[in-house]
């Protein structure tokens, strides 16, 4: 050991450190020399320090503490300090393993000091050597020792590198760490134990559950532990609330645990919302928002939350996004962190539901505007009489670049609110017309800036890309909003903003799209600008004064070529690629969650291309009359396009592109969603082998159908008590005139109403079995009332050629849900619909 002391005394190794630190270093190595070193020291240590003398142990620990106290951040990477770490760890490992009560507390505190002073990159290699004795002391009788060991272990795990995770998890399993901590929390008592003991071991458990999904089951499945946590959550001590919320958040990473939390979740949600309130400290509020994000990982769970606690939850989100709730002063990191958490939770607006009403009721439009314009003043703006002055005021405010990091959140929330806003929504009633109007102006200004900058966006500012994409997307959602007020104002304001250079922007936009689909383009800058161009083209097509310019600029061919290129080249890209703010850190550690695909899925380029093409088809009138199509009077380009659209309906994994492809096909006389499964099911139509219902029309004509297919695809056509699986069937008196038991092979004979047209019914049954039908205009007019009577909303929307409604699922052709325990159901489906399955 004296040799080591001599080694570290070299002048070359002392440069950059103070004489005092060097002296403490010499004293440390003198103290260490009083022990002995031998053999292998552990998993990473090259040797083992040992001494059974308590006084020597105490002297060594004090020397370590004194040395570490003098190490500052600027010398923590100095060779003299780095070379000392291994020797310090050797001594601390032995002293902790020796478990002498007289020295343990000092040694555990020295470990905490070591982790505080020395960079984690240097200490990573020693986590297995130090971790084992630290874990063995978590339930030590001296609570101050257990607290320091838990604190040190938590610091280790919080900075753990990925390549060490597997080894550390094996160590945690060997020590039965999770069960040990759970047992300690179950025994916790306010009367007999210090609060900081619960805080440290609970924080350690939270960190373990965050890192390792396999640790979560033992926690959420412990009924006694969960009751203890429920009790602690309602205690007035805010520091305890923070730790409990962290525990729940880590548990919520598991889908099964989150479900169990919500099964008895009303009390939990109420406590969570209280912690999100502006009256609570920032740390408590932040943990409340993080827990809400974990629980709202998917749509199903979020809607469950809103069924239990909708308005209070929305109110808390809006309050968290309110920058004035923090009081005056600069936005420091803790305030900014809470704003980001609140805005992230605000993205729950991407799901439809009654929470949208409460967002409007609690003034979300004013909150969003205050996060964009730093000095917005209601009284001041009302004096601007003209739209031009309001646009100038908004541009000046945007140029201040206030809270830029929040812009993508704001535009996405605004876009979702517009998407799901009711048709008759009127801001005049709520007194928020001014804020909505200025918000629209700001979004349109950002959009115009995006399409004017072109590929310069990514070259100038990497952060500009998500802002420009989200702002453009928000404008797209607003100009096509089902809300008449929002859509009409967005279109008018956008027209005014585009007025000076709109035609030039459009020309460049079309040229850019034509170029992308004609050459091999790759790279984020090209893809990002293509998204902006596609969204821009769809927005232009919402403005009547530009529709003719798009068509004359060969917009139809450009859009059609782009869709063909995108589909053929399998350009699978999600919106999240342009929105890094969507990356929820919680999602990277989740388990047991079922995540439904977003409506646009990973086909966002295809979706926007189809959207633009759909608007062009709708407005251009270039598609021939359906009768000409049905008789073969179409050119080769239209046949090719139709083929591509049918492939998209068949093979796209996302509902959004399927809907727009089907909407375009409706202009060609094809209605519905072709699919491979639909073709297999369709083979059973008019095959009497397993048909159990016979329809009788007014002229005596009969049609044989399968109740199992109707039950899933069109239950309104089922007569009473016709369900083969003994479930209540729906009936529709406007279609069914009479139903009675048959004496032959059919279980039911159904006499249909006299006004049901046989040809229309046959086409309807084709839709039910195949998933789509083909019809000319005359037959479509007969199908509309029949489809309405049968409550086939998706078909009805296509028959009327209404634009797709965002988020609407594609009707499923999957009949597997009918494969219940009843033998008849299985035999019909397997033998008729799936003949290859035995």
């Amino acid at each position: 050991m004296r040799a080591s002391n001599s080694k570290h005394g070299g002048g070359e190794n002392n440069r950059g450190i103070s004489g005092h630190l060097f002296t403490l270093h010499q004293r440390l190595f003198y103290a260490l020399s009083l022990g002995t070193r031998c053999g292998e020291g552990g998993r990473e240590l090259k040797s083992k320090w040992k001494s059974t003398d308590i006084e020597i142990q105490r002297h060594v620990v004090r020397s370590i503490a004194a040395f570490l106290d003098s190490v500052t951040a600027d010398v923590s990477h100095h060779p003299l300090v780095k070379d000392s770490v291994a020797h310090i760890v050797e001594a601390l490992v032995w002293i902790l393993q020796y478990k002498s009560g007289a020295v343990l507390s000092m040694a555990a505190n020295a470990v905490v000091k070591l982790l505080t002073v020395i960079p984690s990159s240097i200490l990573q290699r020693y986590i297995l050597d130090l971790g084992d004795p630290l874990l063995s002391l978590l339930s030590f009788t001296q609570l101050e020792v257990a607290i320091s060991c838990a604190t040190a272990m938590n610091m280790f795990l919080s900075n753990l590198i990925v390549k060490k995770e597997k080894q550390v998890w094996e160590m945690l399993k060997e020590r039965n760490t999770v069960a040990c901590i759970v047992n300690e929390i179950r025994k916790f008592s306010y009367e007999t134990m210090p609060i900081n003991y619960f805080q440290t071991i609970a924080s350690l458990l939270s960190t373990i559950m965050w890192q390792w999904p396999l640790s979560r089951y033992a926690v959420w499945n412990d009924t006694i532990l969960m009751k203890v946590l429920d009790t602690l959550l309602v205690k007035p001590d805010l520091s305890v609330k923070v730790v409990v919320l962290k525990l729940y958040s880590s548990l919520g990473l598991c889908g099964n645990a989150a479900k169990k939390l919500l099964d008895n979740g009303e009390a939990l949600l109420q406590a969570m919302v209280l912690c999100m309130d502006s009256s609570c400290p920032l740390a408590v509020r932040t943990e409340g928002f993080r827990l809400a994000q974990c629980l709202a990982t998917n749509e199903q769970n979020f809607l469950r939350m809103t069924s239990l606690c909708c308005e209070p939850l929305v109110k808390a989100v809006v309050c968290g996004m309110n920058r004035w709730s923090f009081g005056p002063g600069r936005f420091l990191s803790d305030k900014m962190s809470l704003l980001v958490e609140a805005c992230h939770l605000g993205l729950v607006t991407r799901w439809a539901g009654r929470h949208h009403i409460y967002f409007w009721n609690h003034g979300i439009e004013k909150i969003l505007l205050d996060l964009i314009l730093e000095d917005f003043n209601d009284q001041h703006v009302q004096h601007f009489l003209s739209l031009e002055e309001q646009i100038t005021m908004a541009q000046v405010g945007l140029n201040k670049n206030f809270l830029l990091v929040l812009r993508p959140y704001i535009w996405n929330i605004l876009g979702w609110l517009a998407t799901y806003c009711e048709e008759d929504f009127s801001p005049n009633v709520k007194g928020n017309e001014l804020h909505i109007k200025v918000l629209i102006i700001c979004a349109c200004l950002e959009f115009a800036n995006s399409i004017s900058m072109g590929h310069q966006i990514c070259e100038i500012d990497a952060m500009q890309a998500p802002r420009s994409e989200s702002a453009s997307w928000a404008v797209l959602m607003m100009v096509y909003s089902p809300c008449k007020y929002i859509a009409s104002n967005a279109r008018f304001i956008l027209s005014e903003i585009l007025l000076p250079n709109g035609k030039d922007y459009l020309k460049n936009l079309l040229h850019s799209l034509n170029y992308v689909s004609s050459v091999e383009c790759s790279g984020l800058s090209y893809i990002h600008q293509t998204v902006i161009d596609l969204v821009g083209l769809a927005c232009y097509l919402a403005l009547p004064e530009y529709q003719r310019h798009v068509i004359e600029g060969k917009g139809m061919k450009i859009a059609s070529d782009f869709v063909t290129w995108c589909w053929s080249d399998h350009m699978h890209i999600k919106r999240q690629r342009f929105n890094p703010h969507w990356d929820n850190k919680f999602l990277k550690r989740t388990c047991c969650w079922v995540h439904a695909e977003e409506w646009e899925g990973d086909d966002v380029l295809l979706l926007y291309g189809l959207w633009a093409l759909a608007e062009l088809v709708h407005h251009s009138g270039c598609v021939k009359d359906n009768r000409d199509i049905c008789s073969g009077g179409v050119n080769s380009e239209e046949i090719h396009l139709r083929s591509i659209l049918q492939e998209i309906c068949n093979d796209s994994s996302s509902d959004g592109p399927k809907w727009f492809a089907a909407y375009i096909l409706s202009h060609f006389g094809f209605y519905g969603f072709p699919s491979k499964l639909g073709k297999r099911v369709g083979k059973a139509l008019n095959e009497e082998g397993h048909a159990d219902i016979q329809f009788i029309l007014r002229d005596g004509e009969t049609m044989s159908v399968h109740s199992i297919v109707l039950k899933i695809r069109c239950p309104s056509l089922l007569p009473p008590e016709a369900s083969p699986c003994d479930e209540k069937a729906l009936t529709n008196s406007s279609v069914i005139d009479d139903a009675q038991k048959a004496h032959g092979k059919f279980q039911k004979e159904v006499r249909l109403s006299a006004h049901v047209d046989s040809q229309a019914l046959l086409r309807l049954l084709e839709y039910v079995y195949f998933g789509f039908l083909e019809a000319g205009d005359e037959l479509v007019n007969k199908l509309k009332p029949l489809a309405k009577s049968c409550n086939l909303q998706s078909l009805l929307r296509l028959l009327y050629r209404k634009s797709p409604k965002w988020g609407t699922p594609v009707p499923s052709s999957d009949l597997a849900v009918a494969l219940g325990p009843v033998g008849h159901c299985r035999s019909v489906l397997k033998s008729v619909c799936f003949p290859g399955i035995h």
Side-chain angles (χ1 to χ4, degrees):
M1 188 61 70
R2 286 183 175 85
S4 295
N5 190 25
S6 173
K7 172 187 174 183
H8 288 278
E12 195 67 32
N13 223 25
N14 302 337
R15 289 182 180 177
I17 64 170
S18 67
H20 178 62
L21 180 60
F22 179 65
T23 300
L24 291 173
H25 176 263
Q26 288 184 312
R27 291 176 182 174
L28 167 62
F29 274 83
Y30 172 76
L32 289 171
S33 71
L34 299 176
T36 59
R37 297 176 67 190
C38 60
E40 291 293 325
R43 308 192 195 203
E44 293 288 347
L45 296 172
K46 295 179 179 179
S47 60
K48 182 177 183 180
W49 183 94
K50 62 185 293 187
S51 174
T52 57
D53 189 307
I54 302 302
E55 290 306 316
I56 291 178
Q57 290 184 18
R58 182 180 284 111
H59 179 48
V60 167
V61 172
R62 285 172 175 167
S63 299
I64 290 172
F67 175 70
L68 293 174
D69 281 339
S70 296
V71 175
T72 55
D74 56 325
V75 298
S76 60
H77 284 280
H78 192 279
L80 181 139
V81 176
K82 290 171 65 176
D83 293 344
S84 303
V85 172
H87 302 286
I88 293 172
V89 172
E90 288 173 8
L92 289 175
V93 168
W94 168 264
I95 295 170
L96 290 171
Q97 289 175 337
Y98 195 72
K99 295 184 179 180
S100 170
V103 189
L104 266 181
S105 182
M106 294 171 56
N109 286 332
V111 176
V112 173
K113 193 167 292 185
L114 177 72
L115 290 163
T116 304
V117 172
I118 304 300
S120 61
S121 58
I122 298 174
L123 293 172
Q124 288 289 325
R125 61 182 300 186
Y126 304 113
I127 184 170
L128 299 176
D129 295 294
L130 265 174
D132 192 67
L134 289 172
L135 292 175
S136 70
L137 293 167
L138 291 180
S139 55
F140 198 68
T141 52
Q142 293 181 20
L143 292 185
E144 64 271 18
V145 173
I147 290 170
S148 295
C149 289
T151 301
M153 202 65 214
N154 201 15
M155 294 170 72
F156 252 137
L157 298 184
S158 297
N159 296 288
L160 189 65
I161 58 176
V162 175
K163 70 178 183 179
K164 288 282 187 181
E165 286 185 3
K166 185 176 180 180
Q167 292 174 290
V168 172
W169 174 239
E170 290 302 319
M171 178 179 67
L172 292 171
K173 286 197 298 182
E174 288 174 13
R175 281 291 177 182
N176 205 19
T177 304
V178 173
C180 172
I181 299 175
V182 167
N183 189 52
E184 291 301 309
I185 295 177
R186 287 173 62 171
K187 296 188 300 184
F188 176 75
S189 168
Y190 263 97
E191 291 74 25
T192 59
M193 297 179 181
I195 291 295
N196 62 335
Y197 176 63
F198 167 76
Q199 290 174 304
T200 50
I201 61 172
S203 293
L204 175 58
L205 180 59
S206 177
T207 302
I208 292 172
M209 289 194 295
W210 175 274
Q211 296 271 29
W212 293 280
L214 291 175
S215 65
R216 296 165 192 162
Y217 177 78
V219 180
W220 68 259
N221 197 46
D222 192 308
T223 306
I224 297 175
L225 174 70
M226 298 307 292
K227 287 181 178 178
V228 170
L229 296 179
D230 290 342
T231 302
L232 291 172
L233 184 62
V234 297
K235 294 289 184 182
D237 193 319
L238 292 176
S239 61
V240 172
K241 286 184 186 292
V242 170
V243 177
V244 175
L245 289 171
K246 282 184 177 179
L247 273 174
Y248 281 139
S249 295
S250 297
L251 280 174
L253 296 173
C254 171
N256 292 330
K259 183 178 182 299
K260 185 168 183 178
L261 288 173
L262 291 177
D263 283 342
N264 301 301
E266 194 164 356
L268 169 63
L269 292 179
Q270 288 175 356
M272 179 189 75
V273 169
L274 284 174
C275 292
M276 295 160 70
D277 190 76
S278 59
S279 60
C280 292
L282 288 175
V284 178
R285 297 182 71 191
T286 300
E287 290 305 326
F289 277 100
R290 287 174 179 168
L291 172 58
Q293 288 180 50
C294 284
L295 295 178
T297 295
N298 67 10
E299 181 179 8
Q300 183 181 5
N301 258 40
F302 175 70
L303 295 180
R304 182 76 187 281
M305 292 168 68
T306 57
S307 70
L308 297 170
C309 183
C310 189
E311 185 171 12
L313 178 60
V314 172
K315 182 179 179 181
V317 175
V318 174
C319 181
M321 294 172 62
N322 184 357
R323 67 183 174 98
W324 299 110
S325 67
F326 299 103
R330 296 178 60 191
F331 280 92
L332 302 178
S333 60
D334 53 351
K335 292 181 180 180
M336 199 65 215
S337 175
L338 178 57
L339 266 178
V340 170
E341 298 291 352
C343 287
H344 205 117
L345 186 55
L347 294 177
V348 295
T349 48
R350 68 185 181 275
W351 297 314
R354 62 193 183 107
H355 54 288
H356 280 262
I357 298 172
Y358 293 119
F359 271 103
W360 289 116
N361 288 348
H362 288 282
I364 185 64
E365 69 288 338
K366 185 179 188 307
I367 301 302
L368 294 176
L369 192 57
D370 281 338
L371 294 175
I372 296 174
L373 303 181
E374 184 176 13
D375 303 316
F376 181 77
N377 186 305
D378 297 23
Q379 305 291 330
H380 180 59
V381 174
Q382 285 174 346
H383 288 90
F384 288 95
L385 301 179
S386 69
L387 176 61
E388 183 180 353
E389 290 174 307
Q390 292 181 5
I391 291 172
T392 302
M393 176 273 303
Q395 187 64 71
V396 171
L398 288 171
N399 291 342
K400 292 183 179 180
N401 295 332
F402 181 59
L403 298 178
L404 281 180
V405 70
L406 299 181
R407 290 280 174 88
Y409 294 104
I410 296 165
W411 298 136
N412 275 286
I413 292 171
L414 177 62
W416 293 124
L417 289 169
T419 300
Y420 296 114
C421 194
E422 296 294 332
E423 181 180 349
D424 58 352
F425 172 79
S426 175
N428 294 320
V429 177
K430 301 181 182 298
N432 51 6
E433 183 178 8
L434 175 64
H435 301 101
I436 294 176
K437 188 175 181 182
V438 178
L439 266 177
I440 294 173
I441 291 172
C442 290
C444 289
L445 285 169
E446 290 268 270
F447 165 73
N449 183 53
S450 298
I451 60 173
S452 68
M453 290 178 67
H455 291 279
Q456 300 174 24
I457 291 175
C458 294
E459 297 169 5
I460 295 173
D461 181 5
M463 287 301 295
Q464 176 67 22
R467 292 200 300 271
S468 60
E469 189 277 341
S470 54
S472 302
W473 180 84
V475 173
L476 177 68
M477 294 296 104
M478 288 191 292
V479 295
Y480 288 103
S481 172
C483 172
K484 293 179 180 178
Y485 174 85
I486 292 178
S488 60
N489 273 274
R491 291 175 184 183
F492 175 71
I493 290 170
L494 181 59
S495 295
E496 292 297 311
I497 290 175
L498 290 174
L499 200 56
N501 305 297
K503 292 179 183 178
D504 292 334
Y505 295 160
L506 176 59
K507 183 178 179 181
N508 294 334
L509 181 152
L510 289 171
H511 174 75
S512 176
L513 286 174
N514 188 47
Y515 176 77
V516 167
S517 58
S518 61
V519 298
E520 197 66 36
C521 292
S522 61
L524 187 61
S525 62
Y526 272 110
I527 294 172
H528 174 266
Q529 188 54 42
T530 301
V531 167
I532 299 296
D533 290 340
L534 288 169
V535 171
L537 179 57
C539 289
Y540 267 109
L541 288 166
L543 309 178
E545 64 269 33
Y546 288 100
Q547 291 165 5
R548 180 174 57 84
H549 295 290
V550 176
I551 294 169
E552 290 176 353
K554 298 184 179 179
M556 176 67 74
K557 185 179 187 309
I558 290 171
S560 179
D561 288 348
F562 179 86
V563 168
T564 302
W565 168 79
C566 188
W567 179 249
S568 302
D569 279 26
H570 307 289
M571 297 293 291
H572 298 300
I573 298 169
K574 292 178 177 258
R575 265 200 80 210
Q576 287 89 322
R577 182 167 181 177
F578 316 106
N579 290 271
H581 62 286
W582 276 20
D583 284 339
N584 190 329
K585 57 183 176 292
F586 303 115
L587 292 178
K588 298 175 183 177
R589 296 285 182 176
T590 57
C591 66
C592 307
W593 280 97
V594 178
H595 295 285
E597 186 72 71
E598 297 289 345
W599 200 63
E600 67 275 20
D602 61 355
D603 291 322
V604 67
L605 283 176
L606 179 63
L607 174 70
Y608 294 150
L610 287 167
W611 194 327
L613 180 59
E615 290 300 312
L616 278 162
V617 168
H618 179 70
H619 292 297
S620 67
C622 69
V623 178
K624 291 180 172 62
D625 185 90
N626 289 339
R627 288 169 295 183
D628 295 330
I629 295 172
C630 295
S631 62
V634 293
N635 60 42
S636 59
E637 290 183 358
E638 289 181 1
I639 292 174
H640 179 65
L641 175 59
R642 191 175 71 190
S643 175
I644 292 292
L645 295 171
Q646 288 174 335
E647 283 184 24
I648 293 170
C649 286
N650 248 319
D651 300 327
S652 175
S653 61
S654 312
D655 283 354
K658 285 185 177 182
W659 258 109
F660 275 101
Y663 172 65
I664 299 169
L665 282 171
S666 70
H667 292 77
F668 291 89
F670 291 84
Y671 303 89
F673 305 87
S675 69
K676 294 174 182 177
L677 184 57
K679 289 180 181 178
R680 298 180 68 181
V681 175
K683 292 178 182 179
L685 182 59
N686 288 326
E687 287 188 4
E688 297 186 1
H690 290 270
D692 52 357
I693 294 179
Q694 187 175 63
F695 287 144
I696 303 175
L697 283 80
R698 61 184 175 185
D699 57 1
E701 183 182 353
T702 61
M703 295 181 186
S704 304
V705 294
H706 305 78
S707 60
I708 198 72
V709 177
L710 298 185
K711 175 177 177 287
I712 302 302
R713 299 278 289 147
C714 186
S716 296
L717 280 177
L718 278 176
E721 302 175 359
S723 173
C725 293
D726 295 325
E727 293 183 15
K728 186 178 180 181
L730 300 177
T731 61
N732 194 313
S733 58
S734 65
V735 178
I736 297 172
D737 186 55
D738 180 55
Q740 59 185 2
K741 289 186 178 180
H743 298 290
K745 62 182 178 179
F746 297 105
Q747 293 182 6
K748 284 280 184 179
E749 287 183 352
V750 181
R751 194 170 300 278
L752 299 178
S753 300
H755 66 267
V756 175
D757 181 84
S758 60
Q759 192 180 11
L761 177 62
L762 179 60
R763 287 291 187 271
L764 187 79
L765 289 174
E766 286 180 5
Y767 174 80
V768 170
Y769 277 76
F770 287 94
F772 72 99
L773 62 90
E774 186 175 355
D777 288 341
E778 183 179 347
L779 189 53
V780 165
N781 291 330
K782 295 179 181 179
L783 274 166
K784 288 176 181 177
L786 187 58
K788 184 176 182 181
S789 297
C790 292
N791 198 32
L792 294 172
Q793 295 299 322
S794 296
L795 175 59
L796 202 61
R797 192 170 195 90
L798 292 172
L799 291 173
Y800 280 98
R801 291 177 186 158
K802 291 184 178 180
S803 297
K805 185 178 180 182
W806 189 281
T808 304
V810 169
S812 174
S813 297
D814 187 6
L815 305 182
V817 292
L819 286 174
V822 181
H824 177 68
C825 294
R826 291 186 174 274
S827 64
V828 171
L829 281 176
K830 287 187 177 182
S831 302
V832 179
C833 303
F834 309 101
I837 300 176
H838 301 288

